[in-house]
Amino acid sequence: MKEMSRIKTVSLIGFLVVVWGISWPIYKIALNFTPPLLFAGMRTLFGGLLLAILLISRRDKICWKENWRIYMISALFNVILFFALQTIGLMYLPSGLFSVLVYLQPVLVGLLAWLWLGESMSLLKVIGLLIGFVGVATVSSSGFSGHIAMIGIILALLTGISWSIGTVFVKRIAHKVDSMWLTAFQFIIGGIFLTGLGTGVENYADIVWNGAYLSGLLFGSILGVSASWIAYFTLVNNGDASKVASFTFLVPLIAVFTSTLFLHEAFTTNLLFGLVFIVVSIYLVNRKPSLKKQQIEQAI
């Protein structure tokens, strides 16, 4: 990540994985008081609108005529498919199994970045990504019990695939569009679609406008959507997409840990074993090969 200082990179990664990690228990609490599609639609729409208001002074960078297709494609993969498939899929699978399948994403990003962006793909990186996936599976294994439907497995895999395609797409077109306006428009467009879908199949009267719901909505709009996705795209655009994606293996770990603290969910040894796998994974994916190995890989 040559374009950013190491301190800034570490700070953004830390912010990102913590926000995404603690969002799972926060959303889980909020979903007790709201229909899922309306909640997903409203927090993405509000987050996108908030970001657009903050960016109004640089509206000359929108270039809608030239970039509207990019905004639409990013919204499709990073918001509409990602959030809709996730919301529907959770109805058919235990949350632990669903999160494991979704977090194939870093592995898929590594593969797509190699094929589509020409990023390096060493044996160590492949092993690291697979070990990270094993770590996520270990952390989430306690959530494997319950009814398992094939449609749920398919939806979880499609969720991870859509997120992977969206991530690599954003990296590929980064030089054509302002990343902050891209983030704003993808959530405005996706939020309008999801809110409209929720309006059609759910009921606003089912929303309980209490502190838990409003806290989840505000957290999701401000941190879970606007701030965290800007951090994510900034990291992806300024570095190796597969290396950045490897750090998202920490998200399920933080989610389980915070759920243990605040939702009093069971703490198991799987959490510790998963942590070891994930740390090893991040090390292997981000480890710089020796000059000799680099020359061999280039020759191959």
Side-chain angles (χ1 to χ4, degrees):
M1 300 180 187
K2 298 178 181 179
E3 291 82 353
M4 292 194 299
S5 69
R6 185 175 182 83
I7 293 177
K8 183 178 180 181
T9 299
V10 171
S11 298
L12 285 175
I13 289 173
F15 170 78
L16 179 67
V17 298
V18 169
V19 169
W20 279 1
I22 65 176
S23 69
W24 286 85
I26 290 174
Y27 295 159
K28 186 174 182 179
I29 293 171
L31 282 169
N32 291 319
F33 308 102
T34 176
L37 281 176
L38 283 174
F39 183 55
M42 290 170 71
R43 74 176 188 266
T44 52
L45 178 57
F46 292 164
L49 289 173
L50 173 63
L51 185 54
I53 292 171
L54 296 175
L55 294 174
I56 198 66
S57 63
R58 47 190 294 178
R59 56 188 177 276
D60 57 303
K61 297 184 179 294
I62 294 175
C63 303
W64 178 262
K65 187 176 180 180
E66 296 84 1
N67 296 327
W68 69 269
R69 291 180 182 84
I70 292 176
Y71 296 144
M72 291 292 184
I73 294 172
S74 186
L76 174 64
F77 288 106
N78 287 315
V79 183
I80 296 172
L81 289 177
F82 178 65
F83 284 95
L85 293 172
Q86 180 184 105
T87 300
I88 298 170
L90 279 169
M91 297 189 297
Y92 296 96
L93 278 186
S95 59
L97 178 56
F98 193 89
S99 66
V100 167
L101 295 175
V102 169
Y103 274 89
L104 268 172
Q105 188 260 5
V107 179
L108 296 174
V109 165
L111 177 62
L112 292 175
W114 174 55
L115 295 173
W116 199 6
L117 303 179
E119 292 187 359
S120 64
M121 180 58 71
S122 65
L123 179 60
L124 271 182
K125 183 180 286 188
V126 172
I127 293 172
L129 289 170
L130 293 176
I131 289 175
F133 177 70
V134 171
V136 172
T138 303
V139 168
S140 306
S141 60
S142 60
F144 285 2
S145 60
H147 176 67
I148 297 175
M150 181 56 66
I151 183 63
I153 294 174
I154 293 172
L155 289 172
L157 290 173
L158 289 176
T159 301
I161 291 170
S162 68
W163 187 16
S164 304
I165 294 173
T167 296
V168 178
F169 172 75
V170 168
K171 170 75 173 179
R172 186 176 178 85
I173 53 83
H175 63 287
K176 298 181 180 180
V177 64
D178 181 81
S179 61
M180 290 194 177
W181 273 114
L182 173 62
T183 306
F185 274 116
Q186 76 167 24
F187 282 114
I188 291 173
I189 295 166
I192 290 173
F193 179 87
L194 291 173
T195 303
L197 182 62
T199 301
V201 301
E202 296 173 342
N203 195 335
Y204 283 94
D206 292 333
I207 298 176
V208 180
W209 298 85
N210 59 13
Y213 167 72
L214 291 174
S215 296
L217 183 62
L218 288 173
F219 175 89
S221 301
I222 298 170
L223 295 177
V225 169
S226 298
S228 64
W229 279 80
I230 286 177
Y232 183 59
F233 285 156
T234 299
L235 288 164
V236 168
N237 291 338
N238 285 278
D240 187 320
S242 57
K243 289 184 178 181
V244 174
S246 71
F247 282 94
T248 63
F249 281 134
L250 287 168
V251 174
L253 178 73
I254 295 173
V256 172
F257 183 71
T258 52
S259 295
T260 300
L261 286 178
F262 300 110
L263 300 181
H264 307 294
E265 295 184 356
F267 180 87
T268 67
T269 54
N270 288 348
L271 189 62
L272 297 177
F273 285 119
L275 173 61
V276 173
F277 283 127
I278 290 169
V279 169
V280 170
S281 165
I282 292 172
Y283 169 75
L284 291 177
V285 172
N286 290 276
R287 180 175 179 269
K288 291 183 178 180
S290 64
L291 181 61
K292 184 177 180 180
K293 287 184 179 180
Q294 286 179 330
Q295 291 172 342
I296 292 174
E297 288 176 3
Q298 289 173 354
I300 294 173

